[in-house]
Amino acid sequence: MTLPDTTANAAVADHTFQVDLRGLVDLLSHHLYSSPRVYLRELLQNAVDALTARRGLEPAAASDAPAGAPSDAFGIRLYADGSVVRVEDDGVGLTADDVHAFLATIGRSSKRAERIAEQRADFIGQFGIGLLSCFLVADEIHVMTRSARTPDAPTVEWRGRGDGSYTVRTLPAAARPRPGTTVTLTPRADADEWTRPAQVHALARHFGSLLRHPVTFDDGTGGPAASVNPDPAPWARTYPTPGTRARALAAYGEEVFGFTPLDTIDLDLPAVGLKGIACVLPEAVPAGRRLGHRVHVKGMLLSEQAAEILPEWAFFVRCVVDAESLRPTASRESLYEDDTLAAVRDTLAERLRAWIARAAASDPDLLSRFLQAHHLAVKSLAVHDDEILRMLLPWLPFETTDGHTTLDGFARTHRTVLVTSSVEEFRQVAAIASAAGLGVVNGGYTYDRELVHRLPEIRPEVSVADLDPATLTAHLDPVDRETELAAAAYLALARDALAVFDCDVALRTFQPASAPALLVDSRDARHERTRSQLAREQEGGLWGDILGALRQEAPRAQLILNQLNPLVRTAIAIDAPELARTSAEALYGQAALLSRRPLRPAESSLINRSFLDLLAHALRKDI
C-alpha cells in the first residue's frame, strides 16, 4: 500500500531564527565570558584587527607607529570621562553594506569576508560576537565608521540597542575626516565598576600592554593622553649587558606574578611566532597543581590562567608569552587544544629541560637552590626522562638513615642501598637500621622508591634492594642460650597475649639500647592478614570461596624485644602471669605508636587497657 504524498502541492515557507538579544547577552555574561570587563578587550581587539586589515590594504599609510608615538599617530585612542567610553581606531573601517552584514548579523565577522580570508591568520579574533560584549555594560552601542577602501567613502552611523533593534544612516564624509571606526558606549549605572576612567585605563593596560599598535588613553580632564603601551615587550628590548637584561626580565616577572623569580628562562619559538619568559618560582608548590600562565595572542592578553601551554610536571614555573599562531576559543579566554598547541607544549618542555641541564653543568649554586625548592617536580620529570635522570638523580635529596642527603653522597657510604616501600616502614626501622650500619632510604614518598631502584644505572657499583623484615632481623644479634631459656616463659605468655594481632615475639640485642622493642610489620603483611581473616569469616559463601582461592600463608608481624634495654630485662623476669601479659601488651603498644602507622581499633583499646592495668598495679604496690 502506497501512502499519498500529501506534501506535493503544499506550500513550504522559509522562516528565520528569532534571536532574543537580551537572552543572548545574559548567556554571554554568565557562560561565555568570565567578567563584564572583557568588553574593553573586545573593543581593543576589533580595533587592532581593523588596523591589521588596513595595513594589508595600504602598507605605507598603515605602517606601525613606534611605541610611545603621539596620540594622533596611526593607532588606537581610548577616552573615558565617567559618562561615556569611546574607542577610536584608524583601521580599515566599514561601508554601509559591511555595517548591515557584520554589525547586525550575529555570528558573522568582517574578518571572515572573502576579500581578507587569506589574511585570517593575521587577526586576533575568529568569531563575530565580540561587539555583543559591550551590552554587558551599556544598553546602546554607537558606531561611526568610514571605509578606507574607497577614497570618497561616506561616514556610516550605526546604533544598536539591547532590545535587538538598530538604525543605520549615511553621513557626509566630513563627519569623520579620516578612515577608521569610533565606538561609543553610554554605560549603565550598574556598570560603573567597569567604566570609571581609572578602571578603563587599568583594563587597557591589563589587556593591551603588549599590543604592537600605539594605544593612548584620555580621561577627559584636559591633560595629555597617557600611553597604554609605551614600551615593547621586555624580551624584545635592547639591553647594554646580559646582566641588565636578566634583572629587567626578573623585575617584569615580579611585576606580573608578584614574586621574585629564582631565575628567568627565555622562550623563543620562531615557528609559531612565540616569545616570552618562564619565571622559576622561588618556593615549592603542591605536586600536580597546575599554575596559570599569562598568554598573549598578537599582543592582546588572552588569559592569565592558561595552564594548558605547559606539561603537568612543569609546575615550578609561571610563563608570560606572546604568540602569533595559537588559536583562542570562542570566549578568547583560553587556548584551543589542537596540534599546534600540543607541539608548542612539547617544545616549551624541551626549553625547560635545557635550562635544568645548563644549571647542572654551569651553575651548581642555582641548581642547589632550585632542587631545594622543586625536587618533587624534578623527580616527577626524572621518572620519565632518562636524560634528566642521569643528570640529576645523584643530586636529588632523599630521606635516609643518614638524614636528608643526596643519593650520590649516600652511595659513597653504602654500597648496598635498601629502600622501604612506605614512610611508616622507614620510621619503624630507621634508628635501628642506622645503628646496625644499614643504609636505608625512605621510598614511601612520591617517585622516591622508583628512582632509588634506578640508581645502579648511574652508579653501577651500587646495588639496590627492597628492605624486608628478614633483612633487618638478620642484622640483629641473638641472645645467648642461657638468657633465651630464662626468658622462655615470658616469651610464651607474650606470644599468647599478642596472638590476636598475628604477632610473634622474639628476644634480640640491638642498638640503640634506649629502644625497648621493634615492631616489624609491613603494610602488605597487614593487608594479607586482613584478607585471610575475611576469608575465614566468610567461609562457605561465594565471597569466602573467592578469598580462599587467593589465600596465601599470611605473614606474621614480629615484636622484637631488646635485651640491652633495662625495661625489657625487668619485664622478662616478671613472675606474675597477668602482669607479664600486661607488660608485653604495653611493649607492643609502645612499638606500634613509634611506627607512626594508623592504629587499628583493637590496638588502641590494648594500649589504653595496658596503661590502666600498669597504673593500677603501681598504685596497689605503693599502697
Side-chain angles (χ1 to χ4, degrees):
M1 180 177 178
T2 302
L3 295 174
D5 184 359
T6 59
T7 64
N9 299 318
V12 179
D14 288 333
H15 301 277
T16 58
F17 287 101
Q18 300 300 309
V19 177
D20 179 355
L21 188 57
R22 292 190 183 277
L24 182 58
V25 171
D26 181 72
L27 178 67
L28 294 178
S29 62
H30 291 96
H31 300 284
L32 185 62
Y33 295 126
S34 61
S35 165
R37 69 177 184 167
V38 299
Y39 83 93
L40 190 66
R41 184 197 65 194
E42 296 295 330
L43 291 177
L44 284 172
Q45 183 167 282
N46 288 342
V48 170
D49 285 343
L51 290 169
T52 302
R54 189 172 178 191
R55 180 173 56 190
L57 182 68
E58 303 177 64
S63 60
D64 285 351
S71 60
D72 61 348
F74 183 87
I76 303 169
R77 293 170 291 282
L78 306 180
Y79 177 90
D81 62 2
S83 60
V84 298
V85 175
R86 186 165 62 241
V87 179
E88 181 180 4
D89 67 68
D90 298 307
V92 72
L94 299 173
T95 65
D97 290 340
D98 291 337
V99 167
H100 284 286
F102 303 132
L103 297 189
T105 304
I106 295 172
R108 183 181 297 174
S109 170
S110 60
K111 297 176 279 293
R112 293 180 176 176
E114 292 182 3
R115 60 180 177 269
I116 59 171
E118 69 276 6
Q119 299 174 340
R120 184 173 182 177
D122 294 332
F123 297 98
I124 301 172
Q126 302 284 334
F127 304 88
I129 57 177
L131 195 62
L132 290 179
S133 65
C134 294
F135 286 120
L136 299 176
V137 297
D139 288 326
E140 183 175 286
I141 304 171
H142 179 225
V143 177
M144 291 280 285
T145 183
R146 181 182 171 190
S147 176
R149 301 183 183 280
T150 305
D152 57 350
T155 299
V156 181
E157 179 188 57
W158 179 88
R159 290 184 184 271
R161 289 170 286 274
D163 60 6
S165 63
Y166 71 93
T167 60
V168 178
R169 64 173 179 160
T170 302
L171 303 175
R176 181 181 170 87
R178 296 190 298 187
T181 300
T182 301
V183 180
T184 304
L185 310 178
T186 302
R188 294 194 306 270
D190 61 355
D192 178 68
E193 176 184 0
W194 307 110
T195 57
R196 293 192 302 269
Q199 181 67 288
V200 172
H201 189 199
L203 290 177
R205 289 279 299 165
H206 179 73
F207 289 118
S209 62
L210 299 186
L211 288 175
R212 290 80 184 269
H213 298 287
V215 183
T216 59
F217 173 77
D218 184 351
D219 62 5
T221 59
S227 178
V228 168
N229 53 343
D231 300 307
W235 48 83
R237 302 172 198 167
T238 301
Y239 300 93
T241 65
T244 304
R245 185 176 191 276
R247 288 188 294 273
L249 294 181
Y252 181 74
E254 184 173 7
E255 177 187 346
V256 171
F257 296 123
F259 63 83
T260 302
L262 189 65
D263 196 16
T264 58
I265 307 168
D266 271 300
L267 304 176
D268 187 1
L269 309 182
V272 293
L274 183 147
K275 292 185 177 182
I277 57 172
C279 298
V280 182
L281 283 97
E283 298 178 350
V285 295
R289 176 184 169 191
R290 302 195 71 181
L291 297 174
H293 305 290
R294 190 179 177 94
V295 175
H296 298 251
V297 174
K298 301 178 179 69
M300 180 68 71
L301 178 63
L302 177 78
S303 174
E304 296 176 279
Q305 300 298 324
E308 62 273 14
I309 200 168
L310 287 182
E312 291 187 7
W313 56 260
F315 51 82
F316 56 88
V317 298
R318 294 194 69 181
C319 296
V320 51
V321 299
D322 185 19
E324 296 287 334
S325 302
L326 295 178
R327 290 175 58 194
T329 58
S331 67
R332 292 191 280 275
E333 295 185 328
S334 60
L335 294 171
Y336 186 82
E337 188 70 44
D338 58 10
D339 292 342
T340 301
L341 179 58
V344 167
R345 184 164 49 237
D346 291 343
T347 307
L348 291 180
E350 289 301 322
R351 296 289 190 275
L352 299 183
R353 290 188 182 95
W355 175 83
I356 295 174
R358 286 195 301 272
S362 61
D363 198 337
D365 178 62
L366 174 61
L367 179 67
S368 175
R369 288 184 286 126
F370 170 68
L371 292 179
Q372 185 177 0
H374 301 293
H375 57 86
L376 186 58
V378 178
K379 286 178 180 179
S380 68
L381 176 58
V383 167
H384 307 290
D385 191 310
D386 290 343
E387 182 181 352
I388 294 296
L389 176 78
R390 290 190 298 272
M391 187 186 311
L392 294 182
L393 181 59
W395 299 94
L396 292 173
F398 290 82
E399 185 180 8
T400 73
T401 46
D402 290 352
H404 282 82
T405 185
T406 64
L407 280 186
D408 190 59
F410 194 67
R412 291 195 187 100
T413 307
H414 305 281
R415 292 303 184 188
T416 298
V417 175
L418 303 173
V419 57
T420 64
S421 59
S422 68
V423 174
E424 64 189 53
E425 289 174 5
F426 177 80
R427 288 169 176 168
Q428 288 177 34
V429 306
I432 295 167
S434 178
L438 297 176
V440 182
V441 178
N442 185 351
Y445 296 114
T446 307
Y447 311 118
D448 282 16
R449 183 167 175 266
E450 183 176 355
L451 289 173
V452 173
H453 272 286
R454 298 190 66 178
L455 180 60
E457 299 176 27
I458 315 301
R459 299 283 184 267
E461 70 278 9
V462 176
S463 62
V464 177
D466 287 326
L467 177 69
D468 57 36
T471 303
L472 181 63
T473 54
H475 285 78
L476 304 181
D477 296 327
V479 297
D480 59 68
R481 183 172 180 78
E482 181 178 346
T483 301
E484 180 126 20
L485 287 174
Y490 179 85
L491 295 176
L493 285 170
R495 292 185 184 109
D496 182 64
L498 302 179
V500 66
F501 300 115
D502 289 318
C503 183
D504 194 12
V505 184
L507 184 63
R508 297 286 188 273
T509 63
F510 54 85
Q511 295 293 336
S514 59
L518 169 66
L519 180 59
V520 180
D521 188 17
S522 69
R523 180 184 299 175
D524 292 341
R526 292 197 303 276
H527 287 175
E528 178 60 29
R529 290 198 301 273
T530 300
R531 190 196 57 76
S532 298
Q533 182 180 356
L534 286 174
R536 290 192 298 270
E537 294 173 354
Q538 300 287 337
E539 190 171 357
L542 175 62
W543 182 241
D545 292 342
I546 294 173
L547 291 174
L550 299 173
R551 184 176 300 168
Q552 303 175 4
E553 182 66 26
R556 304 191 74 191
Q558 192 172 36
L559 180 67
I560 302 174
L561 304 179
N562 186 4
Q563 202 268 337
L564 297 180
N565 183 268
L567 179 63
V568 171
R569 289 200 299 271
T570 301
I572 61 178
I574 296 175
D575 294 329
E578 286 304 316
L579 182 58
R581 290 176 61 92
T582 299
S583 67
E585 291 174 343
L587 288 169
Y588 175 89
Q590 189 259 359
L593 286 172
L594 288 178
S595 72
R596 301 183 187 178
R597 64 169 171 79
L599 297 177
R600 290 172 286 179
E603 291 173 328
S604 298
S605 177
L606 174 139
I607 293 171
N608 184 58
R609 184 180 67 250
S610 61
F611 170 77
L612 293 177
D613 288 349
L614 289 175
L615 181 60
H617 174 78
L619 292 175
R620 285 196 301 271
K621 183 177 179 182
D622 290 341
I623 294 173

